[in-house]
Amino acid sequence: MKSAEIREAFLRFFEEKGHTRVASSSLIPANDPTLLFTNAGMNQFKDCFLGLEKRAYTRATTSQKCVRAGGKHNDLENVGYTARHHTFFEMLGNFSFGDYFKRDAITYAWEFLTSPKWLKLPAEKLWVTVYASDDEAYDIWTRTVGVPAERMVRIGDNKGAPYASDNFWAMGDTGPCGPCTEIFYDHGPEIWGGPPGSAEEDGDRYIEIWNNVFMQFNRTADGVLHPLPAPSVDTGMGLERISAVLQHVHSNYEIDLFQNLLAASAQAIGCANDGAPSLKVVADHIRSCSFLIADGVTPSNEGRGYVLRRIIRRACRHGNKLGARGTFFHKIVGALAAEMGDAYPELRQQRAQIERVLKNEEEQFAKTLEQGLKILEQDLAGLAAKVIPGDVVFKLYDTYGFPADLTADIARERDLTIDEEGFEREMQAQRERARSASAFGLDYNSLVKVDADTLFTGYEETFGQGQVVALFKGGATVERLGEGEEGVVVLDRTPFYAESGGQVGDCGYLSDASGVRFDVRDTTKVGGAHLHHGVVAKGGLHVGQALEAQVDGSVRGATALNHSATHLLHAALRRVLGEHVQQKGSLVNSQRLRFDFSHFEALTTEQIKALEALVNTEIRKNTAVETEVIDIDSAKKKGAMALFGEKYGDNVRVLSMGDFSIELCGGIHARRTGDIGLFKIVGEGGVAAGVRRIEAVTGAGALDYLNAAEEQLKEVAGLLKGSRDNLLDKLAGLLERNRQLEKELEQLKAKAASAAGDDLAGSAIEVAGVKVLSARLDGLDGKALLALVDQLKNKLGSAVILLGGEFDGKVVLVAGVTQDMIGKLKAGDLMKQAAAVVGGKGGGRPDMAQGGGSEAGKLDEALALVRPFVERAL
Ligand code: SER
């Protein structure tokens, strides 16, 4: 069976068992700061297990994109060297949220694997592990399913702490967890390795293919296990591993999917396709890198971007080891898109972007690699021990961009290891330095915790009544806020929009009939509560008080126009630049809008014009801006653009401007596109590798911008004594005239210098038969002084000359010695001494030298040097 057929069979099997087929979620976990990348099928259901989220189904099945290259589950180091580890893999899973539990989970798995209708695996090839104390699972396996005791293994806490076990699965240090039962496949005695739990278990003979987790607990940061609201099931089977079993190969790299990727990798590198570990590394890494970029990650020096950078660099280095010349990695994307693009269309849509990001990163890395390798070689040459010290690893990381695992990789090839602890110590020290450098005050509002939800009434109105349900001062809850005090007010209902989705929070004021007033400077959100931040301008506030809430309508109105224009711009960008454009961030306030998006190069003037034209056309169509709240699947069917990494509930607010723009959005918008009036881009630039930023203005703001530009033009015209119509001619004429004047000035200066030269020649004195001359000439530049020295040399015969002066606030010095004298004294030496006096430097040839300094007050002292200099030399 092909991998694609196995994926489909799995999903279909569980659909037949009443499961809902759910799409893979993004590799960037939605709103989960505890997780670097999606690393298991259960991630997108975390809140369902915890009982925080209810869905329309209690059984689900997925084929989930996973990356395990950082955080708790990290396989990066093993990739290429074992038959079964990957940075990217697909996990087939079935899930029960408080529905079925151990018995069904076990029997479903067994049926799918062994039934003649499905995978038809021989039962005697399968081994099973259970958590040591899980008698219930053990009994189901042995009594109901009939697995003989000799192929059952109980595994306890074999990782040095309670619940730290191969058979107790946890998503991370916190979150859902529980005991598990794993199914292993015996690849046969010709492969080295022993059954799970034995001393040889790390061999490749017995491979775990399916993990069934009985989710029972939520582990909190203090290490305590709290029972989940309902026992649940989370299973995961690596598609690559089960494909290897069904395709009768023992390494994942021999399955259909990898055969093509390995061939494409060898071709891109220009090496033989001979199963070298490095080739496997490249074929593996192209998957994680491409999928991560498709999901919006770009290489950077921190967080997810840094992990991506590390993987790309590791791939590059392994390619280089195989003899790759120049860039090669991005050339494999096409083969990947062909192989997996049916199941994951984003690979085809984003292909150009993925290729560009990879190529750029490859080019950058080529520069640092060469230098870093040299340094490493030097350090290794002087190394007596078998461990590369932590400070060397850190230096390579910090100065040459060498990820520590890359250094570890190189070390491994030479039977060396790296001092990981030492490296971590250096890293920690650097973090401390960074922290102390950027220590700023604590934001007390981040401490505010509110249980109550605020009812938001602001889509329809900017005015409303509300009652104070909580007050905060300095992050602590208080009963009252007095006049002049700053704090946070929470109302039971409010028209104030709280900052989110890039749109800033509303400002305005809260008041009552008695004259109390609280000026709201900003509104934010914690949980479901809207926090009005500001200061009591008059009177006092107390919990329970009834207030009238008035949003500043003009600020809100201008903000709404910018928000709607942001949607039009987003849609226009995808039309003008391509489907690879993804939103990377946005900021919408009353002044302007800022939109960050993935794109690899600076926009051309034509592209910017095309964007403006397209957005303004949509504005002139005056389309109604419509919102509807529908379920997420219908929204997706409508083609609504959603943000990667953003978490949406079952029901979402869809905002449409005709067919041109359909996006999920909770923000405040214009009623019709025509309200925007005018859209004008005022800035375009890069913010990070592969991310561009556009800034724009709309409505009255756009008019202000154009008026200001026009004012400036008028002023310029006034200065040029012209009008807008003849401005360019006037300016060109002025520049030409300026050039002429500069030329004339040069000529005049030369003439003046020549005349001055005649005068100066007369002031030379004679020292031991040589003419010695020093003079101060302010206002001449170095070039003019050089010409003068030349001229004086001709006039004076045997001579030593030092001229100096102030020019543009600095001291300029030129020294000259005639040819017949350079055997005895040199202009360069004279200049060194003279320049040092004026606090600068100088030097040159024996017959002519130039220098300067900053201390004009000492110029005369410097010029006086020449006579003693000559006397000493002769
Ligand atoms: N979450 C478990 C795992 O990743 C089973 O899906 O192994």
Side-chain angles (χ1 to χ4, degrees), residues 30 445 570 606 624 769 800:
N445 294 323
H570 189 182
E606 285 70 37
V800 178

Side-chain angles (χ1 to χ4, degrees), residues 39-43 49 66 68 73 89 91-95 169-171 180 182 208 210-213 215 233-237:
N39 63 13
M42 55 74 63
N43 293 163
F49 290 119
C66 296
R68 290 192 174 175
H73 298 280
F89 64 99
M91 192 184 269
L92 305 170
N94 55 289
F95 308 91
W169 197 87
M171 177 182 153
C180 60
E182 299 189 314
E208 179 225 322
W210 200 339
N211 186 10
N212 282 251
V213 185
M215 286 295 188
V233 169
D234 148 38
T235 91
M237 172 153 66

Side-chain angles (χ1 to χ4, degrees), residues 268-287:
I269 294 168
C271 67
N273 184 4
D274 58 1
S278 287
L279 200 59
K280 293 180 190 164
V281 171
V282 172
D284 170 273
H285 288 9
I286 194 63
R287 298 210 305 164

Side-chain angles (χ1 to χ4, degrees), residues 18-26 28-32 38 40-62 64 95-99 171 176 232 631-633 636 646-652:
H19 292 62
T20 299
R21 191 191 285 226
V22 179
S24 169
S25 64
S26 162
I28 306 175
N31 289 357
D32 190 345
T38 297
M42 55 74 63
N43 293 163
Q44 64 166 316
F45 303 116
K46 181 179 173 186
D47 285 349
C48 300
F49 290 119
L50 295 177
L52 297 173
E53 189 186 333
K54 289 264 171 298
R55 303 218 180 177
Y57 43 81
T58 54
R59 297 176 173 213
T61 181
T62 60
Q64 173 68 48
F95 308 91
S96 146
F97 315 117
D99 189 320
M171 177 182 153
S232 298
D631 67 277
I632 181 96
D633 289 333
K636 281 188 184 150
E646 196 73 28
K647 187 161 185 170
Y648 298 101
D650 285 345
N651 288 319
V652 289

Side-chain angles (χ1 to χ4, degrees), residues 79-98:
V79 172
Y81 299 97
T82 73
R84 60 185 188 281
H85 285 104
H86 299 290
T87 50
F88 172 93
F89 64 99
E90 283 175 86
M91 192 184 269
L92 305 170
N94 55 289
F95 308 91
S96 146
F97 315 117

Side-chain angles (χ1 to χ4, degrees), residues 102-103 106 135-146:
K102 295 185 185 179
R103 179 168 300 277
I106 289 173
D135 292 335
E136 188 187 349
Y138 188 91
D139 288 348
I140 298 170
W141 278 116
T142 49
R143 297 204 187 131
T144 312
V145 178

